[in-house]
Amino acid sequence: MRKIIIPTDFSENAFNALKFAAELFKYERSDFFLLHAYADEVYNTDGLLTQEFLDEFKETTRKNSETELEKTKERILELFPNPRHKFHTVASFGMLIDEVNDLVDRENADIIVTSTRGKTNDRKMTFGSNSLQIIKYVQCPVLSIPEKYEYSDPKKILFPSNYMLPYQKRELKLAGDLARAFCAELHMLYISNFPLDSFRQKDNQLAIKEQFYDVKQEFHQVEEQEKTAAILEAIEKLDIDLLILVNSRHSYLENVLYQSTLDKIGLHPKIPFLVLQNFHRT
């Protein structure tokens, strides 16, 4: 049973991410958890002068959140009445990152699917602040869906790596399962002027190959250059449908996304973007 968390602020961008998830896991028995964290809505409201009014407003906000979650659930079931899927709603009074992390731990979730932007839709940022916070701080794979991205089966997957890190089997298996479900091709990208010749690199590459069994795999090496440019060039050249990066210290994701600050993103993916967190989880 696949367990999938969908954080939502009830925006169309968030619903588009939910639709994408329903399509992506259409062949799997899956539990979807529609999560709305509403603490910000309470605390950011002007005029909360008394504890009594705060408690009343909190209760009103909770009921509104539950109502909107049910509407979202009914809407997705109408579009995708898949007998393999079950949808659960979770309205939580807390900060988004805390509530997502708690739900991940409680349900032992496999993946979080989120939109790159929510209600604020600030086009100066590649990712909305909430999406960035989830990617950086939640210990679970995160799939981010670009604004207004129309679903298509992932047929070509790009996975840049320097093969210096041993990746978690559970997270590689998730990516491998997706690739096999759609008979996708895996394109490994190695950005270096040097051959892949260390024992560490060869062992880590073998571990990736083993998790992507029965998947057509191609190895690409390009000369050392600015990593963002190399990745974007490969996406265009190879007609990639899904990008995979790993969020670990000294990883490609850290180098690409966090070049200056979290609000200044160096990578602008136009395709779905799967972040493997590389944390050990049972």
Side-chain angles (χ1 to χ4, degrees), residues 105 127 224 229 234 238 275:
D105 290 342
F127 291 96
E224 184 72 36
L238 299 172
V275 179

Side-chain angles (χ1 to χ4, degrees), residues 15-109:
F15 189 74
N16 190 52
L18 173 56
K19 288 194 299 181
F20 189 97
E23 285 270 31
L24 186 65
F25 295 100
K26 56 193 169 190
Y27 302 125
E28 297 191 43
R29 293 177 58 246
S30 303
D31 276 341
F32 291 81
F33 296 86
L34 311 182
L35 170 66
H36 180 68
Y38 59 88
D40 279 344
E41 297 171 40
V42 174
Y43 292 136
N44 292 345
T45 301
D46 295 331
L48 299 180
L49 301 178
T50 66
Q51 184 65 46
E52 182 181 2
F53 184 81
L54 175 64
D55 292 340
E56 290 178 1
F57 187 72
K58 186 190 300 184
E59 179 64 14
T60 299
T61 305
R62 180 188 65 80
K63 291 179 179 178
N64 290 340
S65 298
E66 291 177 348
T67 298
E68 291 301 315
L69 283 168
E70 285 300 321
K71 288 180 181 178
T72 301
K73 177 180 174 180
E74 291 172 6
R75 186 179 174 192
I76 195 65
L77 285 171
E78 184 175 348
L79 289 174
F80 299 102
N82 190 332
R84 297 185 181 93
H85 293 171
K86 293 183 179 179
F87 292 87
H88 312 270
T89 61
V90 182
S92 296
F93 179 72
M95 306 307 292
L96 178 63
I97 303 306
D98 294 335
E99 297 307 319
V100 172
N101 256 324
D102 287 348
L103 188 56
V104 165
D105 290 342
R106 191 160 66 245
E107 297 296 338
N108 194 20

Side-chain angles (χ1 to χ4, degrees), residues 180-193:
R180 281 184 289 277
F182 297 100
C183 300
E185 299 174 3
L186 177 69
H187 294 264
M188 298 299 304
L189 179 65
Y190 177 53
I191 306 170
S192 178
N193 294 331

